[in-house]
Amino acid sequence: MQKTLSLFSFLFAACCTVQLYAGTPVQISSPGAQTRLSVDQSPSGTISYQVSFKNRPAVLPSTLGLQLKEPAVSLNSFDIIKIDSGLVDENWKPVWGEYGQIRNHAKTLSLQLVSRNEQKIRINLLFRIYEEGIAFRYQFPEQPGLQHFILGDELSTFGMSGDHKAFWIPGDYDTNEYPYNESKLSAIDATVGQRSTEIAVRSIIAPNAVQTPLMMKSSDGLYINIHEASLRNYPAMNLMLDKKSMQFKSVLVPDAVGNKAYLQAPAQSPWRSIIIADNGADILRSSMILNLNDAPAAGLDFSFVKPQKMVGVWWEMHVGKASWDYSGGQVGSQQQSRVPHGANNQNVRRYIDFASKYGFDGVLVEGWNTGWEDWFGKWKEDVFDFLTPYPDYDLNALSAYARQKNVRLIMHHETSGSVTNYERYMDRAYDLMNRHQMNTVKTGYVGRIIPRGEHHDGQWMVRHYERVAEATAKKGIMIDVHEPVRPTGLHRSFPNWLASEAARGNEFNAWSVGNAPDHETILPFTRLMGGPMDYTPGIFKIKMSHYNPAKTEQVHTTLCKQLALYITMYSPLQMAADLPENYEARPDAFQFIRDVAVDWDDTKILDAEPGDYVYIARREKGGRRWFAGGITDEQARNFILNTRFLEPGQQYLATIYRDAPGAHWKDNPEAYVIEKFIVNNRSALNLKLAAGGGFAISMVPATGDDLKQYKAYKQK
Amino acid sequence: MQKTLSLFSFLFAACCTVQLYAGTPVQISSPGAQTRLSVDQSPSGTISYQVSFKNRPAVLPSTLGLQLKEPAVSLNSFDIIKIDSGLVDENWKPVWGEYGQIRNHAKTLSLQLVSRNEQKIRINLLFRIYEEGIAFRYQFPEQPGLQHFILGDELSTFGMSGDHKAFWIPGDYDTNEYPYNESKLSAIDATVGQRSTEIAVRSIIAPNAVQTPLMMKSSDGLYINIHEASLRNYPAMNLMLDKKSMQFKSVLVPDAVGNKAYLQAPAQSPWRSIIIADNGADILRSSMILNLNDAPAAGLDFSFVKPQKMVGVWWEMHVGKASWDYSGGQVGSQQQSRVPHGANNQNVRRYIDFASKYGFDGVLVEGWNTGWEDWFGKWKEDVFDFLTPYPDYDLNALSAYARQKNVRLIMHHETSGSVTNYERYMDRAYDLMNRHQMNTVKTGYVGRIIPRGEHHDGQWMVRHYERVAEATAKKGIMIDVHEPVRPTGLHRSFPNWLASEAARGNEFNAWSVGNAPDHETILPFTRLMGGPMDYTPGIFKIKMSHYNPAKTEQVHTTLCKQLALYITMYSPLQMAADLPENYEARPDAFQFIRDVAVDWDDTKILDAEPGDYVYIARREKGGRRWFAGGITDEQARNFILNTRFLEPGQQYLATIYRDAPGAHWKDNPEAYVIEKFIVNNRSALNLKLAAGGGFAISMVPATGDDLKQYKAYKQK
């Protein structure tokens, strides 16, 4: 590393051109000095940055820049007009989240640059230096020479210091639903994605391209996570690896004609985030992505937003018991078998009764509306109207029945990727929801996008997701978006955006090769870095042979791991995804799903290693109950859970749901044991996780009765 | 020509495969035997057609077929399953038009075909044989092997018998606003379109590609017009000329990814129409395009539709006196000069007063809404909301004032080509119109289309125009669509679709090289074959130097030719496009515009030659008044108008508006003479048209006073 120069020696008036000379970069450290950023300018005007973490190199010198297409200008060589630094330190309370309060604490560095060419285009390069990493973004200030412009490329690079281990999925313009790969960077081969024929639409970019959030681990134990924050009015970023230099370059998702973004100054890119730690748990502890997003816009009122649990007419389609379409031909695997239409009055009443009896907030009903008979894979524009129920679905009666039972129907808007069509009907569809007091909608984008040539992760669709978030916010509606671009913390700005899918969900287990046992240990380090996922946990009947003896598919899990996911896969919208009869057959295990909170005042990442295990404890929002969950990959493990997070002096009744001896995700997945203990903040629970297994624990301040019963039990 | 075989010998049961052998084609003649169609099948299964007119070859043997992309199947070699023929003979009354009643009288021929390949795809080939030409279309019936499919290409050909003279504009995916070219087919060079930099968006296809309606004239005096009818859910057709064979091939407008059409069986192509005559007037007499369109859909009520005349806050922007945008920077030429905002309360009240005083139905106001400050040429999506007036435009007060004055404001929806944006606001914008009792909207599509990569004339936009026509029909709104695809007679199906622009309108004269004096003699043979045009005639101040001495632009016309256009350019929506003060300066000439009807019971094409002259007389709908108009190109002409169309025995007061001696479009354009005569059905009016000039005549059943006055005048 070069020697440190005081930043403040570089503060000049705005009118001056500042030259940084090679060997004398600007260096700035995080408030606690753990992370250090260095920004340098070459004699030719190229700007580069590098990052160290606890004095170990995390990002090697990496150049920054942009290429404009209209006007055609290269922005890769600059004069520096001004350098400024500062400090952000604020506490804010999310509407919902893993923590009741979040501290945003970072040094800031901004460089005002002007391009070294005749166009003299001004851009600002903003950095934030957090304890756990850095972020940067490009800003295009208002200026006479740049009003509307088309971005041809972003030239951000990320130089890795070695051939790290990486948890990656193929770079793709349309889908995030690949299984994860764990390999050295040098072994990345995104063409494996071509095998994932179970994904409706794939647009693999190149063999060396991967998606963010990209989780890496260096051979000397640095954990590095690259992603982006506040992706608005801009395409998503993929990363292209140069295997010789081990440097990534940004690859933005193009539009139908190959352009990347249509911008109007003032404009800005999302933040590019690099989170760094020397252990896995610290990666999961980071709130950097949220901190890089904006607070909700002043005019929007999110007081209606409420984290929730739901059941739904949904898994029965995936397991092939029921159909989305009225004629009975559409099941999860898209096979043309004939099964009953799931969204019929009688069946929906059954779910409403179930939800009401067990205290769920909502009942999702998919397949309620016309269009499913011809919705899949046709690139058909006029497919759904989001207004017309099938004849066996009495929307008026059912929504009245739900209200009477103190449950809300959750609306479903599958667009089939025909977004022009959805935008024509959106307003009316939300009005219909308002009339029926339905305040949550699950949207879906399965299929090639219309406008044809646009991609799920391009600027046009990014704007669409924002538009939906804003339109629903104004109508008092919460959203759960399936098949969108990967989240980047926008739920801070739109707290009605409860969750997204944007990754390979539990459903793949029902009708494809599914998700390997390590899948859920990787997701928190990748997809979930950007925001909550509607993963749909809680499957109790693990093997599909239960429904059809000919089927070999299964969820790659034990039953207890399914319970643990309610803790390890953070979301303010959680589904109890299995069928009512499967829960009623195991009321003792089901009790955990009934009990578990969906909003938290505090979260403890107890231990975590991507691809191996995740152990987390959380305290419910506004309450004293703690819940803990742990999952493992295909390896059986022991974990000693120290409950030092509990309130000192308080006794808790801990109910432990754990894999039974002999349990195994493949051979014996549904075997579990439930035990109760009295614990306090000095307890240590020795937990055994089966291969592909997990545990879940609820810890409730103990009553006198609890203590008496426990004493009696211990004496036996 | 081959010898005629009775068609009926080819009628077989549907189950049989019929083979036509080379040399024994199916031949079928129009009801009056003037036009003859012959359809042949080659041994390899290729289907071709040829057409003769009065025993002269009009279309040489030309093959037909299609290329599908998904599934990838060539449809160019067929077995014939069934051949059938029939007769159409019906009379129908248009809601408005050039005739009170129209006869649809044609022989029909249909061929059921199955592709000679393993896919065995069935298509129907439908022909209609009219007295004045033929039409054909492809149908895709419902069938197990073809549900959703993507059209890669249409392989229709049109073999010309020689190197005809043609009136053409460059084949283009986005614009029809080119000046016309008159040349031999062999001299077609569409790259001339590259000079038309005054057109906002051009997408020239190829040097040999031209648009329809294409007007041709053979050296032996056959007039041939190729176009299409009922263009719905399909892209527009251009024609690519093979100069060796003098054969045209269809070129469909592609979408953003190069596909031509997304269809679902049952589906069909538009009709491809070939209108043939041995004189120019018969081309203009044809109602074939309308007859090939469908009657209005059963559920739609068009009783609110009313042909109308309007004035507008519009020409003052084109001449540079006022601006569309509030800050005064947007005039017709897009020059950044600062002029007053046209759509201000005071100015609009002036137009309302003017319209009310002189009996106009509507006042168009452009530039009333926010967005014009940044609307042009930016490919900007969120540009207009169609709801928010500028601060100096009090929509409530002005629409109330208009109603009080018995005039309606005409709404203006310029989309800037951002159609996704318009579709988001359409419903609310039409509701706003309904609330203000505005029942006509002028829409506009200046700019590159969004969805980006789509074209003005592609299937997606064709569907959009249909969607607008239907949505407005349901809200009781009439439409006037600027910059759409060229019309194909859809105003029969949507009589609320009063007019379109879709060609080079009068406005080009204000700020570009403009329209040559022969322009309006070509338009009826080309653009107007498909439907009415909002050409905006009636310019009295011909030279732009009137507004700015530095300007050399002018309308290429005499004043009287501007009057004649109200007759020769048929439209149920006519604008008096000039400024109120210019009309009030010449109340005698203005009287014709006040008098002229906009809906007709009868039309007489007196004589017409494309590129030279057009003389037409029309009788008003439900009345006895006749109006006549005549225009010439750059040549001065004499025309003897025989009034034999008048009611026998009835005397009429004819008011003749003609070019004054010495008038000339360039040197003396505003000189005119008005004369009154008493005429009857045996009169002959000897009319002199100046170079670039014209005449207009009103013929009103004479009153006793008229006759007395005329007698006195003749005695003088």
Side-chain angles (χ1 to χ4, degrees):
Chain A
M1 302 296 289
Q2 289 100 340
K3 68 177 196 290
T4 305
L5 270 170
S6 163
L7 173 84
F8 298 96
S9 64
F10 287 91
L11 298 180
F12 290 86
C15 58
C16 307
T17 293
V18 181
Q19 291 258 354
L20 295 177
Y21 296 99
T24 59
V26 183
Q27 298 208 6
I28 187 164
S29 294
S30 60
Q34 189 166 266
T35 296
R36 184 184 297 158
L37 169 76
S38 172
V39 178
D40 201 357
Q41 182 187 34
S42 77
S44 67
T46 306
I47 302 289
S48 64
Y49 75 103
Q50 55 183 306
V51 184
S52 66
F53 181 82
K54 295 187 180 173
N55 291 319
R56 291 148 71 186
V59 181
L60 300 187
S62 302
T63 57
L64 298 174
L66 301 140
Q67 178 65 46
L68 305 192
K69 196 162 170 181
E70 286 183 23
V73 185
S74 291
L75 301 177
N76 52 14
S77 169
F78 302 96
D79 288 320
I80 299 175
I81 299 295
K82 191 180 176 190
I83 298 177
D84 214 340
S85 84
L87 181 76
V88 171
D89 192 3
E90 53 175 2
N91 283 286
W92 59 279
K93 290 183 201 300
V95 174
W96 43 258
E98 298 179 89
Y99 302 93
Q101 181 168 292
I102 294 171
R103 184 179 185 188
N104 182 17
H105 190 205
K107 291 273 188 65
T108 66
L109 174 69
S110 71
L111 286 82
Q112 291 185 19
L113 308 174
V114 62
S115 64
R116 276 193 193 171
N117 47 33
E118 62 186 21
Q119 292 88 356
K120 302 270 175 238
I121 288 176
R122 288 197 295 114
I123 70 167
N124 300 331
L125 193 53
L126 305 190
F127 290 92
R128 286 212 197 153
I129 306 93
Y130 286 89
E131 224 49 71
E132 77 266 32
I134 69 113
F136 63 86
R137 85 183 328 166
Y138 303 93
Q139 278 187 335
F140 303 89
E142 220 169 338
Q143 55 195 294
L146 193 71
Q147 195 201 12
H148 293 270
F149 59 102
I150 297 177
L151 192 61
D153 233 329
E154 182 182 315
L155 309 174
S156 300
T157 59
F158 305 83
M160 296 298 100
S161 63
D163 190 8
H164 303 336
K165 183 166 78 173
F167 299 86
W168 57 271
I169 54 175
D172 193 293
Y173 298 148
D174 278 293
T175 185
N176 329 98
E177 299 194 349
Y178 293 104
Y180 282 96
N181 302 278
E182 179 179 341
S183 79
K184 291 277 188 188
L185 291 177
S186 58
I188 284 174
D189 177 9
T191 63
V192 296
Q194 287 163 2
R195 283 185 233 140
S196 293
T197 53
E198 69 277 12
I199 301 172
V201 181
R202 287 166 298 142
S203 303
I204 296 169
I205 301 167
N208 289 0
V210 297
Q211 295 189 33
T212 75
L214 175 66
M215 187 67 229
M216 289 171 285
K217 186 178 178 183
S218 73
S219 55
D220 62 341
L222 270 196
Y223 294 72
I224 302 171
N225 187 288
I226 304 180
H227 190 35
E228 60 184 308
S230 196
L231 171 59
R232 303 179 77 155
N233 195 27
Y234 203 88
M237 176 178 74
N238 290 271
L239 296 173
M240 184 83 81
L241 177 65
D242 177 341
K243 291 190 179 178
K244 284 192 187 124
S245 63
M246 289 299 161
Q247 191 176 63
F248 288 105
K249 188 183 153 302
S250 54
V251 179
L252 304 182
V253 178
D255 80 342
V257 298
N259 294 331
K260 301 301 171 64
Y262 301 82
L263 299 173
Q264 179 176 2
Q268 58 192 359
S269 77
W271 288 99
R272 279 65 184 90
S273 63
I274 306 164
I275 300 176
I276 312 164
D278 51 12
N279 64 83
D282 276 354
I283 294 288
L284 302 190
R285 283 183 191 115
S286 173
S287 294
M288 192 205 284
I289 299 282
L290 274 176
N291 279 326
L292 292 167
N293 275 271
D294 297 328
L300 295 175
D301 172 17
F302 292 101
S303 59
F304 68 90
V305 171
K306 184 177 171 294
Q308 55 184 299
K309 279 185 278 190
M310 63 174 170
V311 295
V313 179
W314 178 76
W315 186 248
E316 59 184 83
M317 279 83 100
H318 285 282
V319 303
K321 274 193 74 171
S323 167
W324 275 278
D325 86 307
Y326 188 59
S327 73
Q330 291 287 328
V331 295
S333 56
Q334 298 302 328
Q335 291 157 351
Q336 293 291 328
S337 56
R338 293 289 144 184
V339 289
H341 177 222
N344 67 72
N345 291 322
Q346 189 187 343
N347 197 34
V348 174
R349 275 174 185 263
R350 187 168 73 96
Y351 276 85
I352 292 170
D353 289 341
F354 179 82
S356 180
K357 181 172 176 187
Y358 296 109
F360 287 85
D361 303 280
V363 175
L364 169 71
V365 185
E366 297 203 359
W368 68 277
N369 57 328
T370 57
W372 291 92
E373 57 286 354
D374 188 35
W375 77 286
F376 185 76
K378 310 287 174 46
W379 227 358
K380 177 181 179 179
E381 184 162 12
D382 297 312
V383 50
F384 293 107
D385 71 7
F386 313 95
L387 299 170
T388 310
Y390 276 128
D392 57 348
Y393 186 80
D394 187 338
L395 177 58
N396 290 323
L398 288 168
S399 62
Y401 186 68
R403 282 197 301 277
Q404 177 193 326
K405 291 276 188 170
N406 204 24
V407 166
R408 287 190 201 249
L409 291 178
I410 292 179
M411 179 48 84
H412 185 231
H413 291 166
E414 173 57 52
T415 66
S416 188
S418 178
V419 183
T420 47
N421 180 59
Y422 186 46
E423 292 198 344
R424 284 175 205 124
Y425 286 99
M426 263 166 56
D427 286 345
R428 279 173 281 172
Y430 301 149
D431 287 345
L432 181 76
M433 288 180 62
N434 281 169
R435 283 200 299 282
H436 289 281
Q437 296 172 40
M438 299 166 77
N439 68 354
T440 307
V441 60
K442 172 180 172 180
T443 60
Y445 298 89
V446 174
R448 284 182 285 185
I449 295 296
I450 303 176
R452 296 187 182 94
E454 296 290 347
H455 295 291
H456 284 74
D457 298 352
Q459 183 194 25
W460 196 88
M461 283 300 293
V462 165
R463 287 278 298 121
H464 168 76
Y465 307 125
E466 279 188 84
R467 201 176 286 122
V468 168
E470 195 175 327
T472 49
K474 287 177 178 168
K475 303 251 183 186
I477 291 171
M478 293 169 270
I479 54 174
D480 168 22
V481 188
H482 280 234
E483 300 85 26
V485 70
R486 42 203 169 278
T488 59
L490 280 179
H491 52 293
R492 179 177 178 188
S493 309
F494 296 103
N496 65 317
W497 193 339
L498 294 185
S500 296
E501 188 182 42
R504 195 173 178 91
N506 222 353
E507 67 198 33
F508 277 82
N509 285 308
W511 39 257
S512 80
V513 296
N515 309 337
D518 65 355
H519 186 63
E520 295 93 345
T521 69
I522 300 171
L523 280 171
F525 290 92
T526 51
R527 160 66 183 78
L528 269 64
M529 294 299 291
M533 178 171 177
D534 180 20
Y535 188 70
T536 67
I539 302 304
F540 279 15
K541 288 312 297 178
I542 309 287
K543 297 202 174 217
M544 297 305 109
S545 56
H546 173 73
Y547 303 101
N548 179 345
K551 287 202 174 178
T552 57
E553 291 86 356
Q554 74 160 98
V555 190
H556 301 75
T557 186
T558 64
L559 188 147
C560 283
K561 185 179 188 176
Q562 291 294 305
L563 298 180
L565 295 175
Y566 290 92
I567 302 299
T568 63
M569 299 278 260
Y570 168 68
S571 177
L573 176 72
Q574 289 283 18
M575 189 173 204
D578 210 338
L579 310 184
E581 55 268 37
N582 295 335
Y583 290 130
E584 290 188 322
R586 280 159 172 162
D588 54 351
F590 184 47
Q591 188 63 44
F592 181 80
I593 301 178
R594 295 176 62 190
D595 290 341
V596 68
V598 282
D599 197 10
W600 311 100
D601 259 339
D602 200 6
T603 286
K604 302 292 178 190
I605 310 296
L606 305 173
D607 198 0
E609 182 67 24
D612 292 343
Y613 54 82
V614 175
Y615 307 121
I616 298 178
R618 305 187 195 268
R619 181 164 59 80
E620 68 179 335
K621 178 74 84 41
R624 299 170 67 193
R625 295 186 301 161
W626 282 84
F627 295 85
I631 59 171
T632 177
D633 59 358
E634 69 288 350
Q635 302 288 334
R637 290 180 202 277
N638 274 11
F639 178 63
I640 295 173
L641 195 161
N642 290 300
T643 55
R644 64 177 74 94
F645 47 81
L646 294 175
E647 217 171 295
Q650 175 67 45
Q651 304 280 72
Y652 292 79
L653 175 62
T655 307
I656 299 174
Y657 305 76
R658 62 172 175 84
D659 299 324
H664 185 284
W665 69 269
K666 191 166 174 48
D667 303 323
N668 188 21
E670 295 176 12
Y672 62 92
V673 171
I674 303 176
E675 295 169 308
K676 290 177 190 284
F677 298 93
I678 296 294
V679 298
N680 58 30
N681 73 334
R682 294 180 310 275
S683 305
L685 302 171
N686 188 352
L687 298 157
K688 288 185 198 306
L689 296 82
F695 64 82
I697 308 173
S698 64
M699 286 160 276
V700 183
T703 62
D705 272 2
D706 289 337
L707 296 172
K708 242 182 278 173
Q709 280 182 29
Y710 184 63
K711 204 168 172 185
Y713 161 84
K714 289 248 301 197
Q715 285 167 343
K716 269 196 289 185
Chain B
M1 302 297 287
Q2 289 100 342
K3 69 179 194 290
T4 306
L5 268 171
S6 162
L7 172 83
F8 298 97
S9 64
F10 287 92
L11 298 180
F12 292 86
C15 58
C16 307
T17 295
V18 182
Q19 291 260 353
L20 295 177
Y21 296 100
T24 58
V26 183
Q27 297 210 4
I28 187 163
S29 294
S30 60
Q34 190 166 266
T35 296
R36 185 184 295 158
L37 169 75
S38 172
V39 178
D40 202 357
Q41 182 188 34
S42 77
S44 68
T46 307
I47 302 289
S48 65
Y49 74 102
Q50 55 183 305
V51 185
S52 67
F53 182 81
K54 294 185 180 175
N55 291 320
R56 291 149 71 185
V59 181
L60 301 186
S62 302
T63 57
L64 298 174
L66 300 140
Q67 178 66 45
L68 305 192
K69 197 163 170 180
E70 285 184 23
V73 185
S74 291
L75 301 176
N76 53 12
S77 170
F78 302 96
D79 287 320
I80 300 176
I81 300 294
K82 191 180 175 190
I83 299 177
D84 213 341
S85 83
L87 181 75
V88 172
D89 193 3
E90 53 175 2
N91 283 285
W92 60 280
K93 289 183 201 300
V95 173
W96 44 259
E98 297 180 89
Y99 303 93
Q101 180 168 292
I102 293 172
R103 184 179 184 186
N104 181 16
H105 189 204
K107 289 273 188 66
T108 66
L109 175 68
S110 71
L111 286 82
Q112 292 185 19
L113 308 175
V114 62
S115 64
R116 277 193 193 170
N117 47 34
E118 61 186 20
Q119 292 87 356
K120 301 272 176 237
I121 288 177
R122 288 197 294 112
I123 70 166
N124 300 331
L125 193 52
L126 306 189
F127 289 93
R128 286 212 199 153
I129 307 94
Y130 287 89
E131 222 52 69
E132 77 267 30
I134 69 112
F136 63 86
R137 88 184 325 169
Y138 304 92
Q139 279 187 336
F140 303 89
E142 219 170 337
Q143 54 194 295
L146 193 73
Q147 194 202 11
H148 292 271
F149 60 103
I150 298 177
L151 192 61
D153 233 329
E154 182 182 315
L155 309 174
S156 301
T157 59
F158 305 83
M160 297 296 102
S161 63
D163 189 9
H164 303 336
K165 183 167 79 174
F167 299 86
W168 58 271
I169 55 176
D172 194 291
Y173 298 147
D174 278 293
T175 184
N176 329 98
E177 298 194 349
Y178 293 105
Y180 283 95
N181 301 279
E182 179 180 339
S183 80
K184 290 279 190 187
L185 291 176
S186 58
I188 284 174
D189 177 10
T191 62
V192 296
Q194 288 162 1
R195 283 185 233 139
S196 294
T197 52
E198 69 277 13
I199 301 172
V201 182
R202 287 165 298 141
S203 304
I204 296 169
I205 302 168
N208 289 359
V210 296
Q211 294 189 34
T212 75
L214 175 65
M215 186 68 229
M216 289 171 283
K217 186 179 177 183
S218 74
S219 54
D220 62 342
L222 270 195
Y223 294 71
I224 301 171
N225 187 288
I226 302 179
H227 190 33
E228 60 184 309
S230 196
L231 172 59
R232 302 179 79 154
N233 194 26
Y234 203 89
M237 177 179 73
N238 290 270
L239 296 172
M240 185 82 82
L241 178 65
D242 177 341
K243 290 189 178 178
K244 286 194 185 121
S245 63
M246 290 299 161
Q247 191 177 62
F248 289 105
K249 188 183 154 301
S250 54
V251 178
L252 303 182
V253 177
D255 80 342
V257 297
N259 293 331
K260 302 302 171 66
Y262 302 81
L263 300 173
Q264 179 176 4
Q268 58 192 0
S269 76
W271 289 99
R272 279 63 183 93
S273 64
I274 306 164
I275 300 175
I276 312 163
D278 51 12
N279 64 82
D282 276 354
I283 295 287
L284 302 190
R285 283 181 191 116
S286 173
S287 294
M288 192 205 284
I289 300 283
L290 274 176
N291 280 325
L292 291 167
N293 275 271
D294 296 329
L300 295 175
D301 172 17
F302 292 101
S303 58
F304 69 89
V305 171
K306 184 176 169 294
Q308 55 183 298
K309 278 185 279 191
M310 63 174 170
V311 295
V313 179
W314 178 76
W315 187 247
E316 59 185 83
M317 278 83 99
H318 285 281
V319 303
K321 275 195 74 171
S323 167
W324 275 278
D325 86 307
Y326 188 58
S327 72
Q330 291 287 327
V331 296
S333 56
Q334 299 301 328
Q335 292 157 349
Q336 294 290 329
S337 57
R338 292 288 143 182
V339 290
H341 177 222
N344 66 71
N345 291 322
Q346 189 188 344
N347 197 34
V348 174
R349 276 173 184 264
R350 187 170 71 98
Y351 276 85
I352 292 171
D353 291 342
F354 179 83
S356 180
K357 180 172 178 186
Y358 296 109
F360 287 85
D361 304 279
V363 175
L364 171 70
V365 185
E366 297 202 358
W368 69 277
N369 57 327
T370 57
W372 290 93
E373 56 285 354
D374 187 35
W375 77 285
F376 184 77
K378 311 285 173 49
W379 226 358
K380 178 181 178 178
E381 184 161 10
D382 297 312
V383 49
F384 293 108
D385 71 7
F386 313 95
L387 299 169
T388 310
Y390 276 128
D392 58 348
Y393 187 79
D394 186 338
L395 178 57
N396 291 323
L398 288 168
S399 62
Y401 186 69
R403 282 197 300 278
Q404 175 193 327
K405 290 277 189 170
N406 205 25
V407 167
R408 286 189 201 252
L409 291 178
I410 292 178
M411 178 49 83
H412 185 231
H413 291 167
E414 173 58 51
T415 67
S416 188
S418 179
V419 183
T420 46
N421 180 59
Y422 186 45
E423 292 198 344
R424 284 174 206 127
Y425 286 99
M426 264 168 55
D427 286 346
R428 280 172 283 172
Y430 300 149
D431 287 344
L432 181 76
M433 288 180 63
N434 282 170
R435 283 200 299 280
H436 289 281
Q437 297 173 39
M438 299 167 76
N439 68 355
T440 307
V441 60
K442 173 180 172 180
T443 61
Y445 298 89
V446 174
R448 284 182 285 185
I449 294 297
I450 303 176
R452 297 188 181 94
E454 296 289 346
H455 294 290
H456 284 74
D457 298 351
Q459 183 194 25
W460 197 87
M461 284 299 294
V462 164
R463 287 278 297 122
H464 168 76
Y465 307 126
E466 279 187 83
R467 202 175 286 122
V468 168
E470 196 174 325
T472 49
K474 288 177 177 168
K475 302 253 184 184
I477 292 171
M478 293 170 271
I479 55 174
D480 169 22
V481 188
H482 280 233
E483 302 87 22
V485 69
R486 41 203 169 278
T488 59
L490 279 180
H491 52 294
R492 180 177 178 189
S493 309
F494 296 103
N496 65 316
W497 194 338
L498 295 183
S500 296
E501 188 181 42
R504 195 174 177 90
N506 221 354
E507 66 198 35
F508 278 82
N509 285 307
W511 38 258
S512 79
V513 295
N515 310 337
D518 65 355
H519 187 63
E520 296 93 344
T521 71
I522 300 171
L523 280 171
F525 289 93
T526 52
R527 160 67 183 78
L528 270 65
M529 294 298 292
M533 178 171 177
D534 180 20
Y535 188 71
T536 67
I539 302 304
F540 280 14
K541 287 314 298 178
I542 309 287
K543 297 199 175 220
M544 296 306 109
S545 56
H546 172 72
Y547 302 101
N548 178 347
K551 287 202 173 179
T552 57
E553 291 86 355
Q554 73 160 100
V555 190
H556 300 75
T557 186
T558 65
L559 188 148
C560 284
K561 186 180 187 176
Q562 291 293 306
L563 298 180
L565 295 176
Y566 290 91
I567 303 300
T568 62
M569 298 278 260
Y570 168 68
S571 176
L573 176 72
Q574 290 284 18
M575 188 175 206
D578 210 338
L579 311 183
E581 55 267 37
N582 295 335
Y583 291 132
E584 290 187 322
R586 279 158 173 161
D588 54 352
F590 184 46
Q591 188 63 43
F592 181 80
I593 301 178
R594 296 177 60 192
D595 291 340
V596 67
V598 281
D599 196 11
W600 311 100
D601 259 340
D602 201 8
T603 286
K604 302 292 179 190
I605 311 296
L606 304 173
D607 200 359
E609 182 66 25
D612 292 344
Y613 53 83
V614 174
Y615 306 121
I616 298 177
R618 306 187 195 267
R619 179 165 59 79
E620 67 179 335
K621 178 72 86 39
R624 297 171 68 195
R625 295 186 301 163
W626 283 84
F627 295 85
I631 60 170
T632 178
D633 60 357
E634 69 287 351
Q635 301 289 335
R637 293 180 199 277
N638 274 10
F639 178 62
I640 295 171
L641 194 163
N642 289 300
T643 55
R644 63 177 76 92
F645 48 78
L646 295 175
E647 217 173 294
Q650 174 68 47
Q651 304 281 74
Y652 292 80
L653 175 63
T655 307
I656 300 174
Y657 305 75
R658 63 174 175 82
D659 299 323
H664 186 284
W665 70 269
K666 189 166 178 49
D667 303 323
N668 188 19
E670 296 177 10
Y672 61 94
V673 172
I674 302 176
E675 294 170 309
K676 291 178 189 284
F677 297 94
I678 296 296
V679 298
N680 59 29
N681 73 332
R682 295 181 310 277
S683 304
L685 303 172
N686 190 351
L687 299 157
K688 288 185 199 305
L689 295 83
F695 63 83
I697 308 174
S698 65
M699 288 161 276
V700 182
T703 62
D705 271 3
D706 289 338
L707 295 172
K708 243 183 277 172
Q709 279 182 30
Y710 185 61
K711 204 168 173 183
Y713 161 83
K714 289 250 300 200
Q715 282 167 346
K716 270 195 284 186

